[in-house]
Amino acid sequence: MQPFTTILAPVDFSDTSDSAFRMALFLARQGGARLVVLHVIDETMDFSGFYVPHPSLDRMDQEFVKGATRMMTDFCRRELGGYVNVATSIVHGVPYKEILRAAEESAASLIVLGTHGRSGIERVAFGSTAERVVRRALCPVLTVPLSAG
Ligand code: AMP
């Protein structure tokens, strides 16, 4: 059995994702693992094409990146508690696909994510990102409910 050397923590800045992140950080501290904090700017909403001219789209995109970067900086300042073996990443795309891609690219040995995200649909056992990652990931996945953080 190998120790977890790289832990991927996808965060959408929801309460449940915060809870999962604390678990990821706890495990990283215990084993001295590298912690990769990933946020995906969700592109499942397709604004391209007909109604919005491209210059506006470009500006909107820049604003999204700026906002996401600010949120990530604040998040890390608030949550990391001095842990330094950390890499952050902000990418565009479909969250579950980018989480799986990041897991592969960073050679993650564990993914830690919330059971739910910003959609806040608590009726189902897992949110759709969590379920898709659990079904497809090639490494172990730990899902953390809000109450566990
Ligand atoms: P969901 O399945 O979408 O309700 O979200 C479950 C968990 O997936 C969240 O608690 C996060 O850990 C992760 N997640 C969801 N959306 C994103 C995103 N856009 N970027 C990074 N992680 C995400």
Side-chain angles (χ1 to χ4, degrees):
M1 189 75 72
Q2 300 291 318
F4 297 128
T5 49
T6 298
I7 298 177
L8 176 64
V11 295
D12 66 358
F13 308 119
S14 64
D15 289 347
T16 314
S17 142
D18 286 0
S19 179
F21 180 80
R22 287 178 198 129
M23 184 75 79
L25 179 61
F26 172 78
L27 293 171
R29 274 189 200 282
Q30 273 199 328
R34 184 166 71 107
L35 189 58
V36 178
V37 190
L38 171 73
H39 178 67
V40 183
I41 297 174
D42 192 339
E43 283 187 351
T44 49
M45 299 282 285
D46 183 8
F47 298 112
S48 61
F50 199 56
Y51 293 110
V52 185
H54 287 290
S56 302
L57 267 182
D58 285 350
R59 271 203 300 277
M60 198 163 72
D61 192 57
Q62 284 168 14
E63 289 304 309
F64 283 176
V65 173
K66 245 167 66 183
T69 305
R70 199 179 319 114
M71 288 179 91
M72 178 67 94
T73 305
D74 290 349
F75 178 84
C76 287
R77 196 174 293 138
R78 192 175 68 238
E79 296 289 340
L80 279 176
Y83 197 67
V84 292
N85 195 359
V86 175
T88 61
S89 173
I90 295 173
V91 298
H92 287 84
V94 180
Y96 85 90
K97 288 186 183 167
E98 295 307 320
I99 291 168
L100 294 169
R101 190 198 309 276
E104 209 178 308
E105 286 176 1
S106 64
S109 38
L110 178 69
I111 303 170
V112 182
L113 79 177
T115 51
H116 297 85
R118 276 184 298 170
S119 67
I121 301 170
E122 302 290 331
R123 285 176 280 117
V124 288
F126 289 110
S128 65
T129 306
E131 184 182 348
R132 287 171 173 148
V133 170
V134 167
R135 284 186 191 280
R136 293 169 174 84
L138 300 176
C139 67
V141 180
L142 175 61
T143 61
V144 183
L146 178 59
S147 56

